[in-house]
Amino acid sequence: SQTIHQWPATLVQPVGSPLSLECTVEGTSNPNLYWYRQAAGRGLQLLFYSVGIGQISSEVPQNLSASRPQDRQFILSSKKLLLSDSGFYLCAWSDHRPGATTEAFFGQGTRLTVV
Amino acid sequence: GEDVEQSLFLSVREGDSSVINCTYTDSSSTYLYWYKQEPGAGLQLLTYIFSNMDMKQDQRLTVLLNKKDKHLSLRIADTQTGDSAIYFCAESIRNTDKLIFGTGTRLQVFP
């Protein structure tokens, strides 16, 4: 069966510090991978998605970046965090099959607080 | 562009029906989804509907799709306290792998 791991669960970081959130998927190959941010009152905002190794699509211009060094690994990074980067970050994967439903399976999320 | 809107809050009495509404702007969506988020957790898929369907029923859940008005709704019959959560509608965009979510509706069920 497929599983998705996301860590850490909570993180408190000072303004200006770097960020690295990691997400890995097991039990599937060549998944679509997604990073979302959930902020209060703003719903679930798509930040990045990837359809393959090294292929990253950015949805929102910001000081965050994403990388996919391996097929089932997706990393969200920042060189210098801002207060506005605080939020609940969710990683998700879906099957990469043409014409199939894009049912997404979510990790448990990372609560990031920038202080 | 792609935009999915929902009302932020809904409060219902236990046993009543809940109707959560969603509007979307992109007419090229292939599937539309309803996800449920328990407090402090990730999202789980509740149900989905293909864009060429008008209605789908799954036990207590009924999904209605009005393509002309780009309006999607989720009806929960006999709402229970365990249904209290945030409900997100989402659309997948044709010919891409993008999955766009709405703002979420917080459903509160009171006895």
Side-chain angles (χ1 to χ4, degrees), chain B:
Chain B
E2 306 123 354
D3 200 14
V4 182
E5 297 285 340
Q6 299 175 240
S7 53
L8 291 180
F9 298 102
L10 177 65
S11 184
V12 299
R13 188 181 299 276
E14 190 175 17
D16 287 351
S17 293
S18 308
V19 179
I20 303 171
N21 295 301
C22 170
T23 57
Y24 58 97
T25 57
D26 197 311
S27 58
S28 65
S29 56
T30 50
Y31 288 92
L32 294 126
Y33 309 81
W34 283 103
Y35 283 79
K36 178 182 180 182
Q37 184 183 31
E38 304 277 0
L43 281 70
Q44 288 190 309
L45 180 69
L46 278 179
T47 186
Y48 66 90
I49 188 168
F50 191 46
S51 59
N52 69 354
M53 294 170 62
D54 297 323
M55 187 183 88
K56 180 179 180 181
Q57 187 147 6
D58 185 1
Q59 299 182 346
R60 291 191 298 125
L61 305 178
T62 303
V63 179
L64 294 177
L65 175 60
N66 182 329
K67 289 183 290 296
K68 176 174 170 290
D69 295 337
K70 296 179 188 170
H71 182 266
L72 181 74
S73 67
L74 174 69
R75 179 177 181 270
I76 305 174
D78 187 25
T79 312
Q80 303 297 308
T81 53
D83 295 325
S84 295
I86 301 177
Y87 291 81
F88 290 90
C89 67
E91 60 170 345
S92 54
I93 308 301
R94 191 182 302 276
N95 297 324
T96 75
D97 292 282
K98 287 170 65 172
L99 189 57
I100 305 297
F101 282 80
T103 47
T105 300
R106 184 179 295 276
L107 173 66
Q108 184 177 16
V109 183
F110 58 93

Side-chain angles (χ1 to χ4, degrees), chain A residues 53-113:
Chain A
I53 295 175
Q55 300 177 61
I56 310 293
S57 297
S58 174
E59 290 297 298
V60 182
Q62 58 212 322
N63 71 321
L64 298 172
S65 62
S67 61
R68 184 170 178 173
Q70 300 180 49
D71 181 44
R72 289 167 291 172
Q73 184 184 28
F74 206 23
I75 297 172
L76 183 69
S77 305
S78 174
K79 291 182 180 177
K80 288 186 178 182
L81 283 168
L82 306 172
L83 286 175
S84 57
D85 292 324
S86 294
F88 191 51
Y89 288 82
L90 287 158
C91 178
W93 73 272
S94 70
D95 243 337
H96 187 51
R97 288 179 292 126
T101 62
T102 318
E103 177 182 356
F105 300 90
F106 283 81
Q108 290 300 296
T110 297
R111 173 74 59 192
L112 171 66
T113 305

